[in-house]
Amino acid sequence: GVTEDNVAFPTPIDPTRVQGTVKPETFTVSFQLGLKSVKVLDNSEGSFHEDGILSDRIETSIADLGKWINIVYAGTNRGRLGVVESEPAANQVQVTKATGLVNILNNFRIDVYTALSGGSANFTNRKVSAATTSTRTFTYDGADATPVAGESIFMTGTYDTSLWTLPDIVDDGTNLTSPFGQSRSTYAGLKSQVFSNGGVLRNLSENLILDACLQTRQIAGKLVNRALSNWGQARKFAEFVSPDRRYTGALKGKQNYSVGFDALKIVAPGVDCDLEVDYNIIPRALYLLAWETFGLFESGAPDWIDIDDGGPLHLIPTSGGHKAGVLGYAGSSENQINTMPRGNAVILDCKDPIVGDI
């Protein structure tokens, strides 16, 4: 404050510092190959990959690991891939529009639980087939298990983990009440800026984007430097935000029109970034982030998982010896962190063509 001569200084107040806890979780990928594929086809002949089928399987598996990590961080609520809305037919699940069917893919193995955490399993380890994004439905193998509306869908073996994901971090307590082990009710600084509309859908607008950028800076002192959404909000941006900005002044001669967009620019005082399309982001949402507040707690970088010095590939064991094939495992041990959730914003309840909103 302002202190006059011979007047006591203001009473010092210690800053509030909240220490969170982060538990690393293990992401893994595995592959299996028959011995003939390893020994006979490990060359350019008989394979679409120039270095042979073994090299192709290794590269594909590592790429799949990276895709899976992005799905978890960008598009899940503590690893939940979707929420059951109904059972259209035997062995089928339709998910809600809130999650869409953007992160449940063919050949995934899934578990369905009665609750996001602390629930019981309805069914586990079922293989997904015929996933249809437009109808938000997929088919699973095995006997019909009669999924119930509101149940949560996970990748097999990932239930009840402590993953900190984008929808959990950029939140006001709706998705996650206590990120990093601390209560948002106790510490308001853990609440992000959430621009929702009570579940009533609206079109993305320039005013919404500006409000999110400017109010976040006023409240938290952070500048948005990264914007993320799925393709639905990018399309809505082009439909409702960009049309009035196509021409910056009077034009001479014929007007030329382009279809689509190369970059969708977001500009505000101190803000200048492009809207990036991430195909794992949940529908109906646009995230406006201060990216320097995010980080990765990595206790084990992506690498081969090997318990001895014999290399990453091992013969497949059986009760009578080994099969004529090899197994390989890769993985990482990590979790996402954020040092200032308050400095990040999300616009929710936006109409989205991904889930059929007009």
Side-chain angles (χ1 to χ4, degrees):
V2 177
T3 305
E4 297 184 7
D5 286 347
N6 300 316
V7 176
F9 286 117
T11 303
I13 300 175
D14 289 334
T16 300
R17 298 184 182 275
V18 181
Q19 182 173 349
T21 57
V22 180
K23 174 187 174 183
E25 299 288 355
T26 302
F27 296 85
T28 59
V29 66
S30 63
F31 68 87
Q32 177 176 318
L33 274 176
L35 203 58
K36 288 184 179 179
S37 296
V38 176
K39 297 298 183 180
V40 178
L41 297 181
D42 189 15
N43 55 61
S44 59
E45 296 182 280
S47 171
F48 290 108
H49 193 278
E50 63 180 359
D51 294 320
I53 194 169
L54 176 59
S55 179
D56 176 53
R57 187 65 60 87
I58 291 172
E59 291 182 18
T60 300
S61 297
I62 297 301
D64 287 344
L65 176 63
K67 292 174 185 177
W68 168 236
I69 292 174
N70 192 72
I71 285 175
V72 171
Y73 285 152
T76 74
N77 175 202
R78 274 170 285 169
R80 180 171 63 184
L81 300 170
V83 177
V84 176
E85 180 174 282
S86 66
E87 183 186 28
N91 286 81
Q92 286 191 353
V93 174
Q94 183 178 50
V95 301
T96 63
K97 288 188 175 183
T99 60
L101 196 68
V102 296
N103 292 317
I104 300 176
L105 308 178
N106 285 338
N107 297 320
F108 270 23
R109 289 198 170 272
I110 60 163
D111 300 337
V112 173
Y113 279 80
T114 57
L116 175 59
S117 62
S120 58
N122 183 333
F123 58 89
T124 61
N125 198 27
R126 300 297 185 89
K127 186 177 179 180
V128 171
S129 63
T132 307
T133 303
S134 59
T135 59
R136 296 174 282 115
T137 60
F138 65 85
T139 304
Y140 58 90
D141 66 0
D144 179 47
T146 314
V148 178
E151 290 185 328
S152 297
I153 305 167
F154 294 83
M155 178 76 90
T156 291
T158 63
Y159 185 65
D160 215 11
T161 58
S162 299
L163 291 160
W164 308 124
T165 66
L166 191 60
D168 296 321
I169 292 171
V170 187
D171 179 53
D172 57 3
T174 302
N175 290 332
L176 183 63
T177 57
S178 299
F180 312 112
Q182 298 291 348
S183 171
R184 282 184 158 124
S185 297
T186 303
Y187 302 106
L190 294 175
K191 292 184 178 182
S192 301
Q193 313 310 313
V194 177
F195 295 81
S196 58
N197 199 38
V200 179
L201 300 180
R202 67 279 175 82
N203 285 309
L204 183 67
S205 70
E206 184 175 36
N207 285 341
L208 278 172
I209 294 173
L210 290 175
D211 287 349
C213 291
L214 299 176
Q215 289 185 39
T216 301
R217 183 179 185 184
Q218 181 183 39
I219 293 169
K222 285 295 183 181
L223 295 172
V224 170
N225 52 32
R226 192 166 191 187
L228 295 173
S229 78
N230 212 309
W231 67 263
Q233 291 314 302
R235 215 267 274 157
K236 284 292 185 180
F237 189 112
E239 181 181 355
F240 288 99
V241 180
S242 297
D244 293 336
R245 303 292 185 265
R246 285 179 180 168
Y247 301 108
T248 57
L251 299 176
K252 294 182 179 179
K254 296 180 180 180
Q255 295 179 349
N256 294 318
Y257 293 88
S258 297
V259 175
F261 57 86
D262 179 42
L264 298 173
K265 183 72 69 176
I266 296 175
V267 179
V271 176
D272 186 353
C273 64
D274 293 333
L275 174 58
E276 301 175 43
V277 174
D278 186 318
Y279 292 95
N280 299 128
I281 299 286
I282 59 172
R284 298 177 172 176
L286 188 153
Y287 290 90
L288 296 159
L289 311 174
W291 195 243
E292 71 276 8
T293 66
F294 285 83
L296 187 67
F297 173 53
E298 191 175 64
S299 61
D303 201 353
W304 291 109
I305 299 174
D306 188 26
I307 58 174
D308 56 37
D309 296 326
L313 300 181
H314 301 276
L315 290 173
I316 303 170
T318 66
S319 58
H322 294 84
K323 292 183 180 180
V326 295
L327 282 171
Y329 297 92
S332 65
S333 187
E334 60 183 67
N335 213 332
Q336 191 170 215
I337 62 173
N338 188 279
T339 57
M340 194 177 184
R342 187 181 180 89
N344 298 275
V346 60
I347 302 173
L348 299 174
D349 296 331
C350 298
K351 291 183 178 180
D352 201 310
I354 291 176
V355 290
D357 298 331
I358 299 175

